[in-house]
Amino acid sequence: MNDSPSRLDLLLFARRVVEQQALTSLAQLDRWIDEERRRDAERRHAEEREQQRPEWLVQYGLNRRNVESVHMGDCWAAAKSGRCRPVTREQAVDALRHQVPACTHCRRDTALGFPD
């Protein structure tokens, strides 16, 4: 009796190998697609946040009553404090007129026309 596989057996085996490789490749492509969709969603979310960012911020003290400083909306120091609220340009100017110091990092007083 001949123990070697027939030509048909070899072709069926090759088909199973190709099918398994194709499924693996499709699964990899699906992961790449999902990752790219996630990145696109993150980019869109970041763009939306950027568009919603206020132009001016005031930073409140720990008691949430005293105004500590005036910031530009994109100031990294304001983002770290977590105690900032958005204000209009007029409110920022008013705060500087009432001796509220400008942020030492973004120096928004010069942008608002308050020299050193």
Side-chain angles (χ1 to χ4, degrees):
M1 186 162 216
N2 189 357
D3 285 341
S4 61
S6 69
R7 182 168 167 82
L8 179 61
D9 290 336
L10 292 175
L11 288 171
L12 290 170
F13 174 76
R15 185 188 186 290
R16 286 193 305 271
V17 169
V18 169
E19 182 180 21
Q20 190 265 335
Q21 289 174 340
L23 291 174
T24 301
S25 295
L26 285 172
Q28 178 66 48
L29 280 171
D30 287 341
R31 285 191 297 273
W32 290 341
I33 289 168
D34 290 342
E35 181 67 19
E36 194 58 31
R37 284 180 177 155
R38 184 189 61 77
R39 287 182 187 146
D40 282 345
E42 286 177 358
R43 276 190 288 269
R44 282 192 308 276
H45 184 68
E47 289 170 1
E48 289 170 4
R49 273 196 327 252
E50 184 67 29
Q51 291 171 354
Q52 294 172 355
R53 180 178 297 163
E55 189 174 1
W56 306 102
L57 298 168
V58 292
Q59 179 177 340
Y60 289 91
L62 293 175
N63 65 2
R64 305 273 186 203
R65 291 186 186 139
N66 301 346
V67 178
E68 287 187 347
S69 58
V70 177
H71 297 271
M72 186 78 171
D74 60 352
C75 178
W76 64 268
K80 285 182 71 172
S81 80
R83 298 187 319 259
C84 291
R85 298 291 178 261
V87 294
T88 64
R89 177 181 173 81
E90 293 76 26
Q91 290 170 318
V93 168
D94 189 52
L96 291 171
R97 282 190 185 128
H98 287 90
Q99 306 303 315
V100 173
C103 171
T104 58
H105 303 287
C106 63
R107 297 299 301 171
R108 288 302 85 186
D109 54 342
T110 55
L112 289 168
F114 283 79
D116 290 338

